[in-house]
């Protein structure tokens, strides 16, 4: 368990995804070609670009998650005969929120990485990020997604299953991005 609060965990988690995606997507061709100097330079450029783009996506992604979250009903019945939402009840985040959250994060990262090449590639990267993010969000939502009682992502960041899921998610997003860009 990290000593970071939920916002710190979210920032670290999204930055980690952006760094992995950006670094490997930009550096992979040089890595495969064993051009180690270019691989390091391109990895660092991609990691910085992906990390910053991921961080810029947090407010929008968080707003979508919180907008879709609902509170459990109270035992108090309103004037219309329906149960009232309890302000103290934990927020329940639907599965689709994970998909949309990752679509937004990957869209920002894909757009930023594409902008390093051209405007046309940026829009292709944005679309690729959305498609790959949908796959990644579904995997994340079905496996390790947990939220605290305020609807904030609760990441057990260094837990092996979370790390494995992050690798699978970023690999899925990267595969779709690479296939669409090529």
């Amino acid at each position: 368990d990290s000593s970071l609060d939920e916002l710190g965990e979210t920032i670290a988690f999204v930055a980690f995804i952006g760094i992995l995606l950006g670094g490997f997507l930009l550096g992979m061709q040089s890595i495969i070609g064993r051009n180690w100097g270019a691989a390091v330079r391109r990895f660092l450029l991609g990691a910085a670009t992906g990390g910053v783009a991921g961080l810029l996506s947090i407010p929008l992604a968080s707003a979508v998650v919180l907008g879709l979250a609902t509170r459990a009903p109270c035992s108090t019945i309103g004037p219309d005969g329906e149960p009232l939402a309890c302000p103290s009840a934990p927020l329940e985040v639907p599965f689709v929120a994970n998909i949309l959250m990752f679509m937004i994060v990957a869209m920002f990262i894909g757009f930023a990485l594409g902008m390093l090449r051209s405007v046309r590639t940026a829009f292709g990267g944005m679309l690729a990020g959305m498609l790959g993010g949908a796959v990644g969000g579904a995997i994340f939502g079905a496996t390790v997604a947990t939220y605290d009682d305020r609807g904030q992502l609760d990441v057990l960041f260094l837990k092996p299953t979370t790390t494995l899921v992050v690798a699978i998610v970023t690999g899925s997003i990267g595969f779709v991005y690479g296939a669409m860009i090529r």
Side-chain angles (χ1 to χ4, degrees):
D1 225 55
S2 169
S3 63
L4 297 172
D5 63 1
E6 285 78 11
L7 179 60
E9 288 176 349
T10 300
I11 290 170
F13 183 67
V14 173
F16 184 57
I17 289 172
I19 288 167
L20 286 176
L21 274 173
F24 282 108
L25 285 172
L26 229 55
M28 190 52 71
Q29 190 170 4
S30 298
I31 291 169
I32 291 171
R34 296 184 188 183
N35 184 349
W36 303 117
V40 168
R41 284 189 306 278
R42 293 185 58 76
F43 183 90
L44 291 175
L45 175 62
T49 303
V52 169
L55 293 177
L56 291 174
S57 73
I58 290 174
L60 180 59
S62 181
V64 167
V65 169
L66 291 175
L68 293 172
T70 57
R71 292 214 183 271
C74 283
S75 57
T76 309
I77 304 297
D80 60 354
E82 294 293 319
L84 296 174
C86 283
S88 61
L91 284 174
E92 296 174 7
V93 178
F95 181 77
V96 72
N98 296 297
I99 295 171
L100 294 173
M101 174 182 62
F102 269 90
M103 285 176 73
I104 291 166
V105 170
M107 176 185 71
F108 271 66
I109 294 168
F111 182 80
L113 292 174
M115 279 302 290
L116 295 175
R117 297 176 97 183
S118 70
V119 173
R120 182 173 179 232
T121 305
F123 286 105
M126 190 168 79
L127 179 61
M130 288 173 63
L131 294 173
V135 172
I139 293 168
F140 181 77
T143 56
V144 297
T146 56
Y147 296 85
D148 70 4
D149 59 347
R150 293 173 295 150
Q152 298 293 317
L153 187 61
D154 190 18
V155 181
L156 297 175
F157 193 56
L158 297 177
K159 189 176 177 184
T161 52
T162 304
T163 305
L164 177 62
V165 168
V166 167
I168 293 169
V169 166
T170 55
S172 308
I173 295 168
F175 179 79
V176 172
Y177 176 87
M180 287 190 69
I181 294 301
R182 297 292 174 254

